[in-house]
């Protein structure tokens, strides 16, 4: 009998419920990172990633037997997420874009470009400048920061009126 008792105490198998929680948290961190998307000059998916963490925490709490606190946390979380969704629409978000302008035979249209962008509340983060001498073709590549409330159709119409403009290209930029 004593020999059997010692064999059980010296077993290599260890049961640790905290390991289950740590693996659940780590896996939700991985899935949450996958839910976060960068594109259209903005970051999206943060509420989804936070929701995955919340669901994991609630599942672990219920699994540990804390049903009432888990239900309370779920109720508060739903109220907060719904309220923030309504408030989010009030605030404008930053938008990052790349504007490429090609001019032919114009000395320096940059002052007029800056004026048009400033009128539309668009900030220039940096400018790349390329000159091709034989055809006198000048290319400006501007990285812009604006709010998502800016109507780019108006900006493009204003820029289209500048002298010597050959081509306008507008594309989404990466979030810095």
């Amino acid at each position: 009998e004593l020999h059997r008792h010692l064999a059980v105490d010296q077993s290599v198998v260890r049961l640790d419920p905290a390991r289950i929680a740590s693996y659940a948290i780590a896996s939700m961190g991985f899935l949450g990172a996958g839910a976060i998307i960068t594109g259209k000059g903005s970051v999206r998916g943060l509420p989804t990633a936070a929701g995955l963490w919340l669901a994991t925490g609630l599942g672990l709490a219920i699994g540990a037997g804390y049903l009432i606190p888990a239900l309370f946390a779920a109720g508060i979380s739903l109220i907060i997420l719904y309220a923030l969704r309504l408030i989010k629409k009030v605030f404008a978000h930053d938008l990052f874009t790349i504007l490429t302008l090609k001019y032919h035979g114009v000395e320096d249209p940059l002052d007029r470009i800056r004026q048009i962008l400033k009128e539309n509340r668009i900030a220039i983060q940096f400018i790349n400048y390329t000159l091709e001498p034989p055809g006198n073709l000048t290319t400006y590549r501007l990285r812009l920061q604006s709010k998502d409330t800016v109507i780019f159709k108006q900006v493009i119409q204003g820029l289209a009126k500048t002298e010597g403009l050959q081509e306008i290209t507008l594309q989404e930029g990466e979030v810095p």
Side-chain angles (χ1 to χ4, degrees):
E1 182 70 33
L2 181 61
H3 184 271
R4 178 192 271 177
H5 184 62
L6 285 176
V8 171
D9 286 346
Q10 295 176 356
S11 172
V12 180
V13 177
R14 302 274 191 268
L15 297 177
D16 185 8
R19 291 177 70 187
I20 295 170
S22 71
Y23 288 128
I25 300 274
S27 61
M28 279 305 117
F30 178 76
L31 292 175
I36 298 171
I37 300 168
T38 57
K40 290 190 177 181
S42 63
V43 177
R44 300 180 186 276
L46 291 175
T48 303
L52 289 170
W53 276 78
L54 176 65
T56 303
L58 292 173
L60 289 171
I62 291 170
Y66 296 106
L67 183 61
I68 300 300
L71 290 174
F72 182 72
I76 288 176
S77 300
L78 288 173
I79 291 168
I80 290 172
L81 286 171
Y82 183 74
L84 288 178
R85 186 176 183 171
L86 296 175
I87 293 171
K88 177 183 160 186
K89 295 177 183 176
V90 175
F91 297 103
H93 301 280
D94 285 337
L95 189 65
F96 298 93
T97 52
I98 304 292
L99 176 66
T100 306
L101 303 167
K102 292 186 179 182
Y103 286 90
H104 185 268
V106 179
E107 284 298 316
D108 188 16
L110 206 49
D111 289 336
R112 180 67 183 133
I113 294 169
R114 283 187 170 136
Q115 180 185 0
I116 291 168
L117 294 174
K118 188 176 181 180
E119 289 170 0
N120 288 282
R121 297 181 317 277
I122 299 174
I124 300 173
Q125 289 187 324
F126 68 80
I127 301 171
N128 287 341
Y129 169 84
T130 307
L131 175 64
E132 297 176 26
N136 203 13
L137 182 68
T138 308
T139 303
Y140 296 95
R141 186 173 160 93
L142 297 89
R143 182 181 171 93
L144 307 175
Q145 179 181 359
S146 63
K147 297 296 181 182
D148 60 359
T149 55
V150 171
I151 302 169
F152 274 97
K153 185 176 181 180
Q154 293 175 354
V155 176
I156 291 172
Q157 286 174 349
L159 290 169
K161 295 176 185 173
T162 57
E163 180 187 341
L165 182 65
Q166 299 292 310
E167 183 181 328
I168 298 176
T169 307
L170 186 67
Q171 67 186 48
E172 67 181 47
E174 293 182 13
V175 177

